[in-house]
Amino acid sequence: MLSNFAKIIFVSTSLAPLLISLSISLENINLLTRILLICFSIILFLLAKNTLNEIKKSGEIEPIKIKKLKTADHEVVAYLVTYLVPFLANISIENAFIIYTIIFISIYNSNAYHFNPLIGLLKYHFYEIETNTNISYILVTRKEIRNIKNIQNISHITEYLVIDKEI
């Protein structure tokens, strides 16, 4: 389990589109800064993709029995507001950095980092699951689950974020 490293990667990746929004909306930045913001967003996306692939490939396999399952893909819509914030006001790069940091800390501490639109672009889906032992997790999988018995093994990404582990 990667835990803190994975949390930082997923929070950063969930906010990568905000960096792209900032690169477009900020008026008083030079072209190099715009390009760096976009490149940093792409690097974060690739890092999250590689992290998921690595955990899926070599993460510790843990059997799981799911009692309840509920789709959580719709939670991604909440991030759209965050991505649009830079277009609503003319803010400086310094204020943008402060806003980004506050949002980053809030998402990190609220464990809301798993609702990640960029991961959705990789065709992953998010599900809230509850195990037979009454522990709740967010499951990341490429499957569209219609039967909870189709998920039998997982790997932990963080303490309460897991990925479907097909074997």
Side-chain angles (χ1 to χ4, degrees):
M1 174 171 50
L2 296 173
S3 202
N4 285 334
F5 175 74
K7 278 178 80 169
I8 290 169
I9 294 301
F10 285 98
V11 172
S12 299
T13 305
S14 70
L15 292 175
L18 177 60
L19 294 176
I20 293 170
S21 294
L22 288 169
S23 74
I24 295 167
S25 67
L26 291 174
E27 294 177 4
N28 296 325
I29 61 170
N30 60 38
L31 181 61
L32 178 62
T33 304
R34 290 181 198 281
I35 292 169
L36 287 174
L37 287 170
I38 293 169
C39 288
F40 188 58
S41 297
I42 293 168
I43 290 167
L44 288 171
F45 174 70
L46 294 173
L47 190 56
K49 178 182 176 187
N50 289 340
T51 301
L52 279 175
N53 289 340
E54 188 60 33
I55 293 169
K56 195 166 178 143
K57 182 174 67 175
S58 61
E60 186 177 323
I61 297 170
E62 185 178 318
I64 192 166
K65 298 266 189 236
I66 298 173
K67 179 169 73 172
K68 283 186 192 175
L69 178 131
K70 181 171 94 171
T71 184
D73 283 335
H74 62 280
E75 299 290 341
V76 172
V77 175
Y79 277 96
L80 293 178
V81 173
T82 303
Y83 301 154
L84 296 175
V85 164
F87 295 105
L88 301 176
N90 186 11
I91 57 175
S92 66
I93 188 75
E94 294 82 10
N95 287 344
F97 178 76
I98 292 167
I99 291 168
Y100 184 90
T101 303
I102 290 168
I103 293 170
F104 181 95
I105 291 168
S106 298
I107 291 171
Y108 184 89
N109 288 323
S110 70
N111 292 319
Y113 52 87
H114 47 269
F115 300 119
N116 192 323
L118 292 182
I119 301 305
L121 288 176
L122 297 172
K123 306 242 189 270
Y124 281 97
H125 301 282
F126 304 93
Y127 294 91
E128 294 177 33
I129 61 172
E130 185 177 323
T131 66
N132 289 343
T133 57
N134 297 323
I135 298 173
S136 295
Y137 296 102
I138 296 295
L139 172 71
V140 179
T141 181
R142 284 207 164 124
K143 296 177 184 172
E144 289 191 32
I145 302 172
R146 296 191 185 6
N147 183 345
I148 58 176
K149 292 181 181 172
N150 290 343
I151 305 296
Q152 298 176 349
N153 297 292
I154 52 117
S155 285
H156 278 268
I157 299 171
T158 65
E159 190 173 1
Y160 295 106
L161 181 64
V162 297
I163 190 165
D164 178 22
K165 185 79 171 184
E166 297 178 46
I167 51 176

